[in-house]
Amino acid sequence: DAGVIQSPRHEVTEMGQEVTLRCKPISGHNSLFWYRQTMMRGLELLIYFNNNVPIDDSGMPEDRFSAKMPNASFSTLKIQPSEPRDSAVYFCASTSGSSYNSPLHFGNGTRLTVT
Amino acid sequence: AQSVTQPDIHITVSEGASLELRCNYSYGATPYLFWYVQSPGQGLQLLLKYFSGDTLVQGIKGFEAEFKRSQSSFNLRKPSVHWSDAAEYFCAVANTNAGKSTFGDGTTLTVKP
């Protein structure tokens, strides 16, 4: 299994531009999570999906952030418009939500820099 | 609300020395506890987890952790540290959904030759 795949690995963009981060979870996993990691705030859960349905988006910082999961093998996190304070590493993780014994599997992250 | 405290931001140990990373949690019921390791430029990787049963759990790479309910702790240990163990370590607590884990702020481990 290739693990959780995120793209791009790095993204540098100017303030005001739209940014789309992509994630392919592990095949067979039915829960997907988007996290943001910064020095100041550590690891924060933004949103998670179960069976492609958003369950909890209380961590999404504001309306500029949106996430979709159109099918079991693909999810996107979009920021529009982007701001310098959005600069962070964004991680996607998946798990088999049917088992409490199943831990999170993280992708390698997307490092976003907004100038 | 659940919370996790990792009191040590940064720890330096010599290669071959023993290691203990501290983790204290706050949770109303029996927690599910995890330790993850993050190498530079990588995502988090699970080292070990505790759900129930034996309070001493073994993980990958020679790590172990002990759940102590009376102290609300889940400290990570390794008897002999290798240079490749240098990384950032995160303790996490969750309810039944591992994805809704609350993470500690992490402890950065430096290994001296």
Side-chain angles (χ1 to χ4, degrees), chain B residues 4 12 35 73 97 103 111:
Chain B
V4 176
T12 299
W35 274 100
S73 70
N97 187 335
F103 287 83
V111 180

Side-chain angles (χ1 to χ4, degrees), chain B residues 4-63:
Chain B
V4 176
T5 302
Q6 293 182 245
D8 304 305
I9 296 173
H10 196 169
I11 283 185
T12 299
V13 299
S14 298
E15 190 168 15
S18 63
L19 171 70
E20 182 168 35
L21 302 182
R22 296 183 290 166
C23 172
N24 294 98
Y25 68 89
S26 172
Y27 188 66
T30 299
Y32 297 122
L33 295 159
F34 308 84
W35 274 100
Y36 291 87
V37 61
Q38 184 180 28
S39 298
Q42 304 293 316
L44 279 69
Q45 179 187 19
L46 181 72
L47 283 176
L48 48 79
K49 60 185 185 289
Y50 171 79
F51 291 110
S52 65
D54 193 346
T55 56
L56 184 64
V57 293
Q58 303 296 320
I60 62 171
K61 304 185 181 187
F63 286 91

Side-chain angles (χ1 to χ4, degrees), chain A residues 9 33 35 37 41-43 45 48 56 91 95 100-104 106-109, chain B residues 32 34 36 38 41-44 46 49 51 88 90 96-101 103 105:
Chain A
R9 284 301 308 273
F33 306 82
Y35 285 87
Q37 185 179 40
R41 301 173 69 92
L43 205 58
L45 177 64
Y48 84 92
D56 185 349
F91 288 102
T95 187
Y100 68 84
N101 201 30
S102 178
L104 287 169
F106 283 81
N108 286 333
Chain B
Y32 297 122
F34 308 84
Y36 291 87
Q38 184 180 28
Q42 304 293 316
L44 279 69
L46 181 72
K49 60 185 185 289
F51 291 110
E88 189 163 16
F90 292 90
T96 56
N97 187 335
K100 288 210 72 176
S101 293
F103 287 83
D105 289 335

Side-chain angles (χ1 to χ4, degrees), chain A residues 1-36:
Chain A
D1 195 324
V4 175
I5 300 172
Q6 291 186 246
S7 63
R9 284 301 308 273
H10 299 274
E11 175 84 42
V12 179
T13 191
E14 292 184 342
M15 183 174 64
Q17 296 298 306
E18 177 180 297
V19 174
T20 300
L21 311 181
R22 297 173 175 79
C23 175
K24 177 177 167 41
I26 291 174
S27 177
H29 282 187
N30 61 352
S31 293
L32 182 141
F33 306 82
W34 282 100
Y35 285 87
R36 178 171 68 175

Side-chain angles (χ1 to χ4, degrees), chain A residues 31-82:
Chain A
S31 293
L32 182 141
F33 306 82
W34 282 100
Y35 285 87
R36 178 171 68 175
Q37 185 179 40
T38 62
M39 288 290 290
M40 293 295 294
R41 301 173 69 92
L43 205 58
E44 303 173 276
L45 177 64
L46 299 177
I47 184 171
Y48 84 92
F49 296 84
N50 191 42
N51 294 323
N52 311 338
V53 176
I55 303 300
D56 185 349
D57 65 354
S58 59
M60 296 286 260
E62 44 195 282
D63 292 344
R64 298 184 295 107
F65 286 69
S66 62
K68 293 182 180 179
M69 193 166 186
N71 57 61
S73 59
F74 184 65
S75 177
T76 59
L77 177 68
K78 184 178 292 186
I79 308 172
Q80 166 63 20
S82 58

